[in-house]
Amino acid sequence: VQLQASGGGLVQAGDSLRLSCAASGRTFSRYDMGWFRQAPGKEREFVAAIRWSRGSTLYADSVKGRFTISGDNAKNTVYLQMNSLKPEDTSVYYCAAGVGLILTTMRLGRAYDYWGQGTQVTVSS
């Protein structure tokens, strides 16, 4: 599957953005999806993930209550709605797809098989 992330941009603290990740392929619904981010000089970190089979979501503590991951199987697209953005949310955001993720692996980048190219989110103070 190929992933195309979009929707990043430059916003002010407190603003909102919605990232999209469009996936190619006919079996999109079998892939669990995740969002990760990486700021300059920092390691990649988990942001959010969704498991279609369980209808469950998982969030990093740093974004819980502000970010929402959702998806539209008909459009082969997963979204990351980001509200109340903070300067520390500034990063390149990547979407990823994996099969058969479980709670203990959803946060791990190595559990995902496919990655999008990333979209830059910059939050000014």
Side-chain angles (χ1 to χ4, degrees):
V1 61
Q2 292 184 326
L3 305 176
Q4 180 74 36
S6 62
L10 172 62
V11 298
Q12 293 185 332
D15 286 350
S16 298
L17 274 177
R18 188 177 78 160
L19 304 183
S20 298
C21 178
S24 63
R26 296 175 294 176
T27 57
F28 174 72
S29 60
R30 70 187 291 263
Y31 290 97
D32 299 320
M33 301 295 295
W35 286 97
F36 291 77
R37 65 187 183 186
Q38 187 168 20
K42 295 187 177 181
E43 293 187 353
R44 181 179 61 195
E45 65 173 347
F46 169 77
V47 176
I50 185 167
R51 292 191 300 171
W52 304 119
S53 62
R54 300 280 185 173
S56 61
T57 57
L58 186 67
Y59 297 93
D61 289 343
S62 59
V63 306
K64 198 174 296 183
R66 300 188 297 122
F67 291 11
T68 303
I69 187 171
S70 63
D72 186 335
N73 279 332
K75 296 183 178 180
N76 281 5
T77 301
V78 65
Y79 304 101
L80 185 68
Q81 177 66 42
M82 306 186 294
N83 298 329
S84 303
L85 282 161
K86 303 175 181 180
E88 51 262 45
D89 294 318
T90 295
S91 283
V92 177
Y93 283 73
Y94 299 89
C95 60
V99 177
L101 301 181
I102 59 177
L103 280 176
T104 55
T105 61
M106 290 171 71
R107 299 177 183 270
L108 303 177
R110 64 177 182 267
Y112 295 79
D113 302 304
Y114 303 97
W115 292 81
Q117 87 289 359
T119 185
Q120 176 71 47
V121 173
T122 303
V123 185
S124 63
S125 58

